Structures are given as structure tokens and as C-alpha cells.
Amino acid sequence: MAAANGDACRSVGGVPRPTNPMVTPLLTDLYQFTMAYAYWKAGKHLDRAVFDLYFRKNPFGGEFTIFGGLEECIRFIANFKFTEEEIKFLRSVMPACEDDFFEYLRSIDCSDVEVYAIPEGYAVFPKVPLMRIEGPVAFSHTSRLCCLPQVVQLLETPFLSLVNYASLVTTNAARHRLVAGKSKNLLEFGLRRAQGPDGGISASRYCYMGGFDATSNVAAGRLFGIPIRGTHSHAFVSSFMGLDEITDKTLTSSDGSNTCEDFISLVQNWLIRIQDSSSLHGTFGETSQSELAAFTSYALAFPNSFLALVDTYDVMRSGVPNFCAVALALNDMGYKAVGIRLDSGDLAYLSVEARKFFHAVEKEFVVVGFGKTSITASNDLNEETIDALNKQGHEVDAFGIGTYLVTCYAQAALGCVFKLVEINKQPRIKLSEDVMKVSIPCKKKCYRLYGKEGYPLVDIMTGEDEPGPKIGERLLCRHPFNESKRAYVVPQHVEELLKCYWPGNSSNSREELPSIHEIRTRCIHHLDRMRPDHMRRLNPTPYKVSVSAKLYDFIHFLWLNEAPVGELQ
Ligand SMILES: Nc1ncnc2c1ncn2[C@@H]1O[C@H](COP(=O)(O)OP(=O)(O)OP(=O)(O)O)[C@@H](O)[C@H]1O
Ligand SMILES: O=P(O)(O)OC[C@H]1O[C@H](OP(=O)(O)OP(=O)(O)O)[C@H](O)[C@@H]1O
Ligand SMILES: O=C(O)c1cccnc1
Ligand SMILES: [Mg+2]
């Protein structure tokens, strides 16, 4: 992704700095540094630590998640280096720590770290690592200054912070896309309601990734190259008192061939014609002249993209007829009005009534295409309201969505975690009373297996050294924790999910970071490719996540090994 501030933010290796300058090695929890110090004091020169970043439950009561935030993680590690000011500050925070520890911190970067990840924009599922982060090989050069596994530990909080909201809001956007349908225009209007400026910028970026068409957020448009769109507000409409406030009434036709000296009169004439027309007669009386003035002046300013907010006074008795008068006057001058925005009331009913009005105007005045004038709806929209509108029948072409989308009102957070799965080549497991919270040990490989109909059937995790699944070869897929749940799968296509995004010192080649537009296309493609019952809103079928028979046996062997045996008295 090319950030608009371009070369200034490029670092060594060509990976730009994190988009948000607040994302530095200090953007973490204090305990990461205290643990780092304790590791360092203990002189734990361990070979290698492997962490998995994954979530346990899909958000919004759904059965899928879209992975977002990877590029920012890669930008973070590519530029991971403490500045002198940061070291100085850490010294003041941890005055009891030895000087050599800060020397060590000063020396570290992520050149020895390896990151494997599922590509951004993919549909992802619980327990399957979105990222596998492998710590540096130890026993390097000088004893205490060598790279220690705590470098990887230091990535926990920033990675989770970069992935959790990104994936949550991308998923939310994707869910809004699914319920709205492919043909609708989806506009993200959330900046004013988002969790602060950085929440707003991230929301605009990841909503676009999740399938929105545009944002009203100008800064996000500049930073990420997202299309920017907008209408106008009620304040603009109510700021006008009457038509006499408009001083420059001239409008030149779209082809430049003639100039209308009094566009206001043209609009007024059209309003009278609409009022008198046989099909529309009696549907409205006097319209608001201040609203008419607002619409007319907006049209004079933007004759090529005139869109009017029609609910300031009364949608059907004022807003829509006023809009049509201005749109027809524009039509005389060779311009095509874009449409209206509804921001209150019964959006299904009003959109249907407005559409009828547009069709009547098309028929009455023979203006081809007028019936198709675009209708945008906004006002506290979310998945449920859009679903309700669909069920009732509506004529909305575009949805402007803010609060519920960007704040992820239906679910506050995605619970991604960062868990140690192997250290010093020793697989580690985290046990819990709650089976959901038991981690899957070992450095793993992950595959998506596709069935005959082209749908993904199951994700399977295997040990790193196991041979991968093969096309046409029957394979036992086991639920990681439930003994009775297992199935044979004969994959028609096998996709290895974890790809190398940061090779560290290994000889693997690094995956390119695709543009935001490519990720968006990938996301839409993924939503299309999933079996519909996994994606439906009501009682979706869980997608199967499994482990190989060998990994299953190993998990349970380790579990028994690690869990203390109780004693009954
Ligand atoms: N046909 C419909 N079916 C279901 N929900 C709808 C329908 N039309 C509108 N809504 C939703 O109903 C809610 C209406 O909210 P509310 O009554 O607070 O707004 P309003 O009075 O129409 O407008 P304002 O924002 O000016 O107060 C919004 O969340 C809106 O998205
Ligand atoms: O409703 P949302 O999904 O958050 O979409 C954004 C809202 O922001 C604007 O309203 P405004 O800030 O003028 O406030 P109001 O409509 O709530 O009064 C706009 O008219 C939408 O109603
Ligand atoms: O352009 C709009 O219509 C808009 C932008 C932000 C919030 N509400 C509406
Ligand atoms: Mg509103």
C-alpha cells in the first residue's frame, strides 16, 4: 500500500513505517518490559520461541471473520527499533533495572524474527493461527547481548492492538455488505462517532477492505486511496431562509453552449409544472422555499453531482418535489442530478414513495432515466435495520452507515490472543478449565481443504514436519478437543494458509503486501466462495476447524502430561 506521505515514511528494506506514528515499540503493556527484564536477568538464551496469534470465537454471532491488520504488523516489525528517547523514558519507568538491559534493548530489532500469516482479507476461523511468529535463534555472538525470545514477546500487545479492531471492523463491514447485497452502494460515514481520530481512520480503511465502496473521511481517502463521497447536512438546508439569498443565479449548460441567466426562475417554473401535473396533482401543496433555496444553491455549486438531503422539513410534501424541480431544471441545462438522501422516518416507506414520485415525473415530463434517480438512506443503520428494510421491500440504492458500523456496536472487541506454542523446540500448551481456552501446541502448518463444489470444507492444522494434505487423498480431520467429532475429507484443492511475510534470517522469500484495493477484492471473493449456510445471519453453520490425527494424539498426550492428577480423600 502506498501511503500518500510516500517516501518520507519509507524505511530500510522498503517497508513503510506504521501508518499511525503512535505505533512504536513503547505502544505496549508494561508487563512486556518487566518480563523481558526478568528473562534477561535469568539469562535464558533459548533457541526459539513460537507464538500463534488467533481468536477463539467469531464475532457478531456469526461463523466467519475477515482478517485485517497484517500489513500494519509487518510495517511495525520492519521498523522495530528503540530510539534514544524511548530508551531514556524506559529507564525512568524501570529505574531498578541494570544498565546492560537497556543496552540490550537498544541493540534489538526484528531482523531475526519470522512471521507467517494468512493473507489479509481472507475469511478466517477460530483457533487457526492468523499469524505464527517465531523468535530469533539464540546462542548468537555475545552472551547477554544476543537476541532473546523476549523480542517476540514484545510483539504481543502491538500485534493484538493492530489486528483485533482491524479484523473486527472489517468483518462488520463484510457483514453489512452481505446483508445489503452486491448491487448497493455502501458509504462509511462514521468518523464523527468513531473511537477517536485513530479509530476513525482505521474504521474507514478496514470498512473499505471489508467491501464498502467509499468513505466520507477525507484524511483516510488521502492516506489509503479510498474513494471519498458525501452529500450535505441538515444545517446546510436550514441555513437558507429564501431564494432571494442567492445572488449569482446564472448557470452555464453542461456543453457550454448556453447560459441560463436566472436558474431560480427555471426551478420555480418546474415546481409549478410538477404541482400542476395530472399525476402528481394534490400529492403536495406549498413546499419549503428555504429548502428550495438550499437545493438550488447546491445545484448551482455542483451541477454535475447534485444530491439533496430531503428530510429537513417533510420528505414527500417538500423535499422530494423540491429536489425534482431542481433536478428537472438541471436536466434542461444538460446535467443529470445524482439523487436524494433520506435521514429519518420510515426508510422503506419513504424510499418507495420517492421512487414512485420519480417514475411519475419521468412519465409526465418524458425525462428518460429519471425514475432511476438514486436514493441514499442513512440514520442509525445496521445489519438488523437493513435486513428489516429488505424484508419490507425498499427502493434504497445506497446506504450511509456510521455509528453502528465503526463502533462495532454489536460486539465491542474480537478476542485475538497471542500464545506461546513452542519454546526451544519443546511444544507448549496452555490448559484451562474452559476447553475453549486450551491452546493448540506446536509449531504448525495450516491448510484449507476445498470440496467438489469448490467451497472450502475444513481448515486443518498439522505438525510442522507432517506431510501436507494431497489432492484426491483421503485424510482424517479431527476436532481438536472433541474425540467423537471427526471426518474423512478427500480434498479437490489444498491451500496452505500460512505464508511467509517476514522471513527473518531464513532463506524463504517474502510475500508482497498487496494494495488495499486488491485486499478488498480478495475479501469480496472470499465471501462469495464460502458455502452460504456458513454466512447466513440466522443460525449459521459453523465452519469446521480440525487437526490431523497425529496432532490430535499429541495435544492429548501433552494435555495429560501437563495436567496435574487430582487426589480424592
Ligand atoms: N422501515 C424500517 N424498518 C425498520 N427500521 C427502520 C425503518 N426505517 C427506519 N428505521 C430505523 O429506525 C430508527 C428510527 O430512529 P428514530 O425514530 O430515532 O429516528 P427518526 O425519528 O426517524 O429520525 P431522527 O434521526 O431525526 O430522530 C433508525 O435506526 C432507522 O434506521
Ligand atoms: O446515523 P449514523 O449511522 O451514525 O450515520 C451518520 C449520521 O451522521 C449524520 O447525522 P448527524 O451527525 O447530523 O446527527 P443525527 O442525524 O444523529 O442528528 C448523518 O445524517 C447520519 O445520520
Ligand atoms: O456526506 C454525508 O452525507 C455524511 C457524512 C458524514 C456523516 N453523515 C453524512
Ligand atoms: Mg442521524
Side-chain angles (χ1 to χ4, degrees), residues 141-422:
H141 21 277
T142 54
S143 60
R144 280 201 156 182
L145 292 184
C146 73
C147 296
L148 298 174
Q150 64 263 33
V151 179
V152 188
Q153 178 77 64
L154 286 176
L155 301 175
E156 174 178 13
T157 308
F159 271 20
L160 291 177
S161 159
L162 290 168
V163 167
N164 265 321
Y165 177 69
S167 300
L168 186 71
V169 76
T170 308
T171 309
N172 203 16
R175 295 182 63 86
H176 281 77
R177 166 57 72 199
L178 284 176
V179 69
K182 281 186 196 155
S183 65
K184 302 297 170 194
N185 241 311
L186 291 185
L187 313 171
E188 177 269 310
F189 282 171
L191 180 57
R192 63 188 61 195
R193 304 275 153 65
Q195 274 88 346
D198 28 303
I201 293 277
S202 297
S204 302
R205 175 188 192 170
Y206 293 110
C207 287
Y208 179 70
M209 251 185 211
F212 270 57
D213 295 292
T215 178
S216 61
N217 181 343
V218 179
R222 173 174 169 270
L223 273 172
F224 308 120
I226 306 171
I228 315 172
R229 298 279 179 277
T231 69
H232 60 239
S233 76
H234 294 110
F236 179 79
V237 180
S238 47
S239 71
F240 283 80
M241 312 285 245
L243 287 156
D244 51 0
E245 285 175 56
I246 303 173
T247 45
D248 185 359
K249 307 174 191 174
T250 59
L251 181 67
T252 302
S253 63
S254 70
D255 61 4
S257 65
N258 67 79
T259 297
C260 171
E261 294 301 333
D262 187 357
F263 184 68
I264 296 179
S265 295
L266 188 60
V267 168
Q268 285 173 316
N269 286 340
W270 269 114
L271 188 59
I272 293 166
R273 288 182 68 183
I274 299 170
Q275 232 149 5
D276 291 347
S277 75
S278 54
S279 54
L280 300 165
H281 187 76
T283 57
F284 67 100
E286 282 300 303
T287 63
S288 160
Q289 291 301 290
S290 50
E291 181 181 61
L292 190 64
F295 290 180
T296 306
S297 82
Y298 206 75
L300 284 167
F302 296 105
N304 276 309
S305 54
F306 172 57
L307 194 151
L309 175 61
V310 292
D311 70 332
T312 306
Y313 301 113
D314 188 306
V315 173
M316 292 314 296
R317 292 200 184 87
S318 185
V320 168
N322 275 341
F323 164 80
C324 290
V326 178
L328 289 167
L330 280 175
N331 182 59
D332 283 349
M333 302 302 292
Y335 298 100
K336 194 172 175 321
V338 173
I340 61 167
R341 174 161 76 97
L342 300 167
D343 190 42
S344 60
D346 185 326
L347 299 170
Y349 170 78
L350 289 172
S351 66
V352 169
E353 289 304 304
R355 177 73 66 218
K356 281 189 205 155
F357 203 97
F358 295 154
H359 279 303
V361 166
E362 169 164 353
K363 203 160 162 214
E364 183 78 26
F365 304 110
V366 199
V367 186
V368 178
F370 199 87
K372 294 204 173 80
T373 296
S374 165
I375 301 176
T376 299
S378 54
N379 186 27
D380 289 341
L381 291 171
N382 56 31
E383 275 190 73
E384 276 68 39
T385 45
I386 297 172
D387 191 42
L389 295 181
N390 289 345
K391 287 183 175 131
Q392 292 159 45
H394 67 83
E395 286 292 337
V396 176
D397 303 292
F399 293 103
I401 315 178
T403 312
Y404 284 94
L405 175 69
V406 304
T407 63
C408 295
Y409 192 90
Q411 177 160 341
L414 178 68
C416 271
V417 294
F418 190 86
K419 296 290 170 201
L420 184 75
V421 291
E422 188 182 286

Side-chain angles (χ1 to χ4, degrees), residues 446-449 460 462 466-471 473 475 491 494:
C446 306
Y447 303 88
R448 186 157 292 172
L449 309 184
I460 182 165
T462 72
E466 283 185 60
K470 302 229 165 22
I471 293 174
E473 264 183 33
L475 175 74
V494 175

